[in-house]
Amino acid sequence: MSNKVEKDEFSGTDTTGHEWDGIKELDTPMPRWWLWTMYASIIWAIGYWIVMPAWPLISSHTAGFLGYSSRGSLEQELADATAAHAEDRNALVTMELSAVKNNSQLYQFALRGGKSAFAVNCSQCHGSGAQGAPGFPNLNDDDWLWGGDVDAIYETIKYGIRSDHDDTRIGEMPAFLTDEMLTKEQINDVAEYVLSLSAEREDTAAVDRGQEVFMENCASCHGDKAKGGRDFGAPNLTDAIWFYGKDKDIILRTISRGRNNVMPAWVDRLDDATIRQLALYVHSLGGGE
Amino acid sequence: MANSSVENIDVRPVNKKENRALFKKREKIQPKKARGNFRRLKWIIMGVTLAIYYITPWIRWDRGDSGPDQAVLIDLARERFYFFFIELWPQEVYYITGLLILAAISLFLVTSLFGRAWCGYSCPQTVWTDLFIFVERMIEGDRNARLRLDKAPMSVSKLVKRIAKHSIWIIIGVLTGGAWIFYFADAPTLLRDLFTFEAPIIAYSSVAVLTATTYVFGGLMREQVCTYMCPWPRIQGAMVDEDTLTVTYHSGRGEPRGPHKKGEPWTDRGHCIDCNQCVAVCPMGIDIRDGLQLECITCALCIDACNDVMDKVDLPRGLIGYDTHAGQFDSNPERKLDIRFIRSRTIAYGLILALVGAVMLFTLLNRSVLDVNVIRDRNPLFVTLSDGSIRNGYTVKILNKIHETRQFQIEVEGLKNAQAWIESGPPVGLPMIVTVPADALSSYKLFISAPAENLPSKTLDIDVVVTDFKSNERDIQETSFKGPEK
């Protein structure tokens, strides 16, 4: 092939010298604007390396002069969002909780914030709909262990139950069998009595014996009529709601080995405005007193 | 010159087949001014359409305290569309769909009857381009003067003319974009805010964008918008048939064309003297004598130009005129138009138009001013209360679409011994009474509880009935009440 560049006679464009079955490839140049766009992109890329995070290093990466990071930008956005609500949040912490409801705009703000905080912090145990699970109370119903008005709910969330905080709510369900306070037979009688409070039982003799045992050992917390006691978080044993379940086996286990589960204190993890939002949200679920 | 009274113009249509090339540059069109009935009609339509566009946002309409007093307003922030006595909420956007269907079918109907009458007379692109050409002619003169100016070297007077022309174009663009934004906010307030720099950024940017598009489309791109950007020229072929009345060159009468000297006989030749006036006045730069073509917007200015020429050579008018496709081969100058307006196509369009229009009118007249939605809680599905009864939660949304505060009664049907309350609080029993502010949506959390023994099965169908105290307007929403497995 000669060194002279062949020109296509129809278009007047140079050919590349490639030929297939008589068809020659034209050496049509790229459009100018396209070429310049590519050069501009190269220059842009070099500038980008300098100012933005770009090259991976062994244990980190080049940070770039602008110091940008996606994590930092997220943190900034979250801080901005909190700052944007500063007025409402301040109003919330300075106001009586029971009075928030009268301020419709602030109340809606609290409910929405509470719903979102609940999903992040509480739903793992209480469920996404606050419907609870055995051992984790349903927050929708009207049965409250420690009180269902908004201030009581606020205190429960803030300090927790049997948590490691000094102001925690505390109460103990003893292990009557493990600690040898009652015999197996007595425990069976008490379980029969507890069940008889909400349903007919066949073994009335056991129920009568159980009532005596109950008065001596249980009534101090659960009350003479087994209606429960909020000072100790003792459940009402006469209603239709069962904390752990209404099967006799479960009740026997509760009496024999005790129950002392924990709700953490949130005062050190969440700010006061968020705890107040949570209290108002839980209170609004339908069972609030 | 062949005929002393008629100027023969050296102009070539831009879309001649021989000139076509894939990468051909645009040939600038400098349309000559036309005089005649159609030109007059177009001035009137331009005046009316521009007046409608500029004046509409300033028309006031009293809606009381809870609504704006602007007759036509698209309130994006408050999600309302106001049109005189009509007020639409976002969920009623199907009215807009109906309106668009009506507009489309009307366009089909008009096109099948009169060709692209929309394009030629009332399309904003045509109206504004016409306006821009008018400005151009005022400053730079008619076609010949403009052609000379284009060729002339840059001078002070040319520069002054160019600056003046483009400035006025931009001012028209600003006014166009400026009027547009008044449809989206209270016009007097927005006007004041615009000048005190308190209007939202979006207002200024909308004006800027619409100024740019008006200037570019009306001043610079003109016929290219119609030919290359608009889909309608491609669709017109399907709408036009042999009975459609459209701008037609009567080739049967006009051909063979040729120059004509005054006093020469008209025997053995056509009536077209090939003066090219029809091409010179065409804003699309085409030759109507080539027949109906994609570029033709049927603005009818060539009719005016040709009639003028026919008058001068003492021939009957109408060598170019509105006629059907079939009529173009008729050589009789006194031809009577025989138009079939009633055809299967127009009947079909008419029926669809009437049907959609009737449905729209019916739904609009029977439009409910109360809208209720009941959404039952899904998580949890139900809650057992301490006395053993079952509680379900619902969100009840009541839309009060009138400009008056209204009181509603909420009842639950299909559930025995139901208790109900709103939010938390003591059960208030049923029926319950709520107040919804004027022109607003109110949302209530409704809890309903019933003794477990009143539930015959896992799911019970119930109705939530919302009744307006005053007007007795009722809205019944079917929902369900769920309980545990029996």
Side-chain angles (χ1 to χ4, degrees):
Chain A
M1 196 195 266
S2 73
N3 286 331
K4 195 165 166 282
V5 176
E6 189 193 359
K7 268 202 191 299
D8 175 60
E9 60 175 301
F10 294 105
S11 60
T13 312
D14 294 347
T15 65
T16 58
H18 301 154
E19 183 177 341
W20 294 271
D21 297 339
I23 297 170
K24 289 173 182 169
E25 186 187 19
L26 296 185
D27 190 9
T28 310
M30 278 204 290
R32 252 320 106 101
W33 63 267
W34 192 335
L35 208 61
W36 284 113
T37 309
M38 191 182 80
Y39 292 147
S41 305
I42 293 171
I43 293 165
W44 173 267
I46 293 169
Y48 194 92
W49 295 343
I50 297 167
V51 297
M52 296 292 275
W55 289 98
L57 303 176
I58 288 168
S59 60
S60 68
H61 58 82
T62 57
F65 283 120
L66 288 183
Y68 172 86
S69 76
S70 50
R71 177 178 287 269
S73 113
L74 172 70
E75 278 166 6
Q76 185 59 45
E77 274 177 40
L78 288 175
D80 288 349
T82 312
H85 295 140
E87 200 179 312
D88 281 338
R89 298 179 84 86
N90 285 338
L92 211 54
V93 292
T94 49
M95 203 185 264
E96 281 284 321
L97 272 173
S98 48
V100 175
K101 231 176 173 180
N102 303 327
N103 180 340
S104 162
Q105 186 267 329
L106 190 61
Y107 186 54
Q108 289 307 319
F109 168 74
L111 292 191
R112 281 175 198 177
K115 184 173 187 178
S116 132
F118 189 92
V120 175
N121 299 291
C122 315
S123 62
Q124 291 83 346
C125 293
H126 288 284
S128 57
Q131 72 274 34
F136 303 98
N138 184 342
L139 304 176
N140 293 283
D141 62 29
D142 58 343
D143 188 26
W144 298 93
L145 295 173
W146 300 91
D149 66 58
V150 69
D151 290 313
I153 296 171
Y154 170 68
E155 193 180 329
T156 304
I157 300 171
K158 196 169 179 183
Y159 300 121
I161 297 159
R162 291 178 280 273
S163 72
D164 47 11
H165 196 277
D166 292 341
D167 295 327
T168 183
R169 292 186 184 280
I170 203 147
E172 193 186 4
M173 173 73 192
F176 286 95
L177 184 69
T178 316
D179 294 346
E180 298 178 349
M181 290 149 80
L182 294 173
T183 65
K184 265 196 167 173
E185 290 70 31
Q186 285 174 310
I187 288 170
N188 181 60
D189 293 344
V190 173
E192 283 292 329
Y193 171 68
V194 167
L195 282 166
S196 77
L197 295 169
S198 52
E200 290 283 311
R201 301 301 294 176
E202 285 174 11
D203 191 351
T204 48
V207 170
D208 289 343
R209 287 198 302 277
Q211 185 171 15
E212 274 177 44
V213 180
F214 185 87
M215 287 304 169
E216 281 169 29
N217 297 281
C218 315
S220 54
C221 291
H222 288 282
D224 288 349
K225 292 182 174 150
K227 294 276 188 194
R230 288 182 172 178
D231 292 342
F232 313 101
N236 181 346
L237 302 175
T238 64
D239 63 18
I241 295 169
W242 295 89
F243 197 178
Y244 293 93
K246 62 178 174 181
D247 294 343
K248 191 177 171 188
D249 287 348
I250 295 172
I251 296 169
L252 286 173
R253 189 215 168 277
T254 303
I255 304 168
S256 305
R257 297 195 221 148
R259 297 280 189 186
N260 289 296
N261 51 356
V262 171
M263 151 114 177
W266 292 92
V267 62
D268 300 326
R269 310 189 198 192
L270 299 176
D271 61 37
D272 194 33
T274 307
I275 296 177
R276 282 164 182 264
Q277 287 180 330
L278 279 169
L280 286 161
Y281 171 69
V282 169
H283 185 261
S284 78
L285 291 173
E289 291 171 347
Chain B
M1 200 67 356
N3 186 309
S4 56
S5 61
V6 179
E7 177 198 7
N8 187 301
I9 299 175
D10 177 28
V11 55
R12 288 198 323 163
V14 296
N15 65 344
K16 270 273 182 263
K17 210 200 260 169
E18 308 83 66
N19 299 345
R20 284 184 198 157
L22 258 182
F23 297 104
K24 202 180 79 165
K25 274 202 172 143
R26 178 202 184 202
E27 285 175 40
K28 195 169 175 189
I29 298 164
Q30 294 288 18
K32 188 170 178 285
K33 189 183 177 188
R35 284 180 190 81
N37 292 334
F38 287 104
R39 181 64 268 182
R40 215 167 296 129
L41 177 64
K42 277 169 69 73
W43 287 135
I44 292 168
I45 292 177
M46 181 201 280
V48 171
T49 48
L50 288 180
I52 291 173
Y53 175 67
Y54 284 109
I55 293 171
T56 303
W58 298 90
I59 304 171
R60 303 288 98 184
W61 192 268
D62 185 26
R63 290 194 185 83
D65 291 337
S66 50
D69 58 357
Q70 185 159 323
V72 178
L73 178 66
I74 301 161
D75 191 343
L76 293 175
R78 292 184 59 239
E79 301 180 338
R80 297 284 191 285
F81 171 62
Y82 301 97
F83 186 83
F84 295 94
F85 59 95
I86 302 171
E87 178 186 340
L88 297 182
W89 290 49
Q91 56 269 54
E92 292 166 322
V93 74
Y94 47 79
Y95 285 114
I96 310 284
T97 314
L99 219 57
L100 289 175
I101 294 173
L102 284 183
I105 304 289
S106 306
L107 191 59
F108 295 171
L109 180 62
V110 168
T111 305
S112 68
L113 289 174
F114 305 111
R116 286 166 66 187
W118 161 261
C119 303
Y121 299 93
S122 49
C123 174
Q125 174 65 25
T126 298
V127 170
W128 262 278
T129 302
D130 228 12
L131 186 62
F132 275 51
I133 293 175
F134 172 76
V135 169
E136 195 168 55
R137 191 183 301 131
M138 287 296 110
I139 293 170
E140 298 182 347
D142 205 359
R143 176 183 153 83
N144 290 337
R146 293 207 299 273
L147 288 174
R148 273 198 305 278
L149 190 69
D150 282 351
K151 280 198 195 120
M154 187 49 78
S155 65
V156 175
S157 88
K158 182 174 177 176
L159 190 70
V160 168
K161 280 177 177 170
R162 289 283 199 245
I163 291 175
K165 177 178 82 172
H166 288 278
S167 308
I168 295 178
W169 281 357
I170 288 173
I171 289 169
I172 295 174
V174 171
L175 293 176
T176 307
W180 179 259
I181 60 172
F182 291 134
Y183 285 87
F184 295 87
D186 183 54
T189 318
L190 183 59
L191 184 66
R192 199 183 53 232
D193 289 352
L194 275 177
F195 284 105
T196 52
F197 297 103
E198 285 164 355
I201 296 285
I202 185 77
Y204 293 106
S205 52
S206 299
V207 174
V209 167
L210 288 162
T211 301
T213 51
T214 310
Y215 171 74
V216 171
F217 287 0
L220 308 182
M221 290 181 68
R222 293 188 179 171
E223 81 286 349
Q224 299 173 91
V225 175
C226 308
T227 310
Y228 301 114
M229 290 167 68
C230 179
W232 190 237
R234 274 83 188 162
I235 303 170
Q236 69 161 341
M239 299 295 148
V240 171
D241 57 27
E242 71 277 11
D243 288 313
T244 300
L245 209 52
T246 184
V247 175
T248 306
Y249 165 65
H250 291 103
S251 57
R253 176 186 156 191
E255 300 296 322
R257 69 182 82 155
H260 176 264
K261 284 202 179 79
K262 203 163 192 177
E264 276 181 357
W266 291 97
T267 45
D268 295 332
R269 58 156 296 152
H271 285 179
C272 175
I273 61 167
D274 208 8
C275 63
N276 282 334
Q277 294 283 355
C278 54
V279 182
V281 296
C282 180
M284 305 300 291
I286 60 168
D287 188 345
I288 190 64
R289 294 171 299 175
D290 293 340
L292 183 63
Q293 50 208 293
L294 180 145
E295 289 88 345
C296 179
I297 58 170
T298 73
C299 66
L301 290 178
C302 51
I303 301 181
D304 278 347
C306 190
N307 282 345
D308 218 18
V309 173
M310 290 296 111
D311 288 352
K312 283 176 184 161
V313 297
D314 286 331
L315 285 173
R317 289 181 161 206
L319 177 59
I320 303 174
Y322 269 100
D323 204 337
T324 61
H325 186 67
Q328 65 173 307
F329 304 110
D330 193 338
S331 57
N332 177 14
E334 310 295 338
R335 168 180 158 76
K336 287 272 171 296
L337 275 180
D338 174 29
I339 315 150
R340 289 170 56 226
F341 284 122
I342 315 279
R343 323 197 281 273
S344 52
R345 177 192 289 265
T346 54
I347 292 170
Y349 290 145
L351 281 179
I352 299 173
L353 212 54
L355 186 74
V356 177
V359 170
M360 288 267 292
L361 197 67
F362 177 79
T363 50
L364 202 60
L365 291 178
N366 290 279
R367 174 177 174 266
S368 154
V369 290
L370 165 66
D371 201 345
V372 179
N373 284 299
V374 176
I375 307 150
R376 80 180 305 289
D377 286 356
R378 286 159 180 272
N379 187 13
L381 279 173
F382 62 88
V383 173
T384 306
L385 298 181
S386 52
D387 62 1
S389 60
I390 306 298
R391 190 190 76 203
N392 281 207
Y394 305 84
T395 304
V396 180
K397 293 186 174 183
I398 302 180
L399 281 71
N400 175 10
K401 294 188 196 165
I402 59 173
H403 292 277
E404 266 170 49
T405 303
R406 290 206 279 177
Q407 276 201 319
F408 296 100
Q409 169 179 291
I410 302 177
E411 285 169 287
V412 175
E413 283 175 3
L415 189 64
K416 270 185 242 158
N417 300 335
Q419 292 272 28
W421 59 100
I422 288 175
E423 300 281 359
S424 46
V428 292
L430 289 164
M432 199 168 14
I433 289 147
V434 295
T435 307
V436 183
D439 190 50
L441 162 87
S442 283
S443 179
Y444 302 98
K445 183 83 203 178
L446 173 72
F447 292 111
I448 301 174
S449 76
E453 53 271 24
N454 288 0
L455 293 175
S457 62
K458 204 174 123 185
T459 304
L460 191 64
D461 291 326
I462 62 167
D463 289 331
V464 174
V465 185
V466 176
T467 316
D468 183 341
F469 260 115
K470 250 197 218 155
S471 67
N472 279 329
E473 187 178 4
R474 270 157 73 91
D475 194 308
I476 301 172
Q477 290 291 316
E478 288 174 17
T479 183
S480 61
F481 190 90
K482 289 188 190 296
E485 298 270 5
K486 285 270 173 181

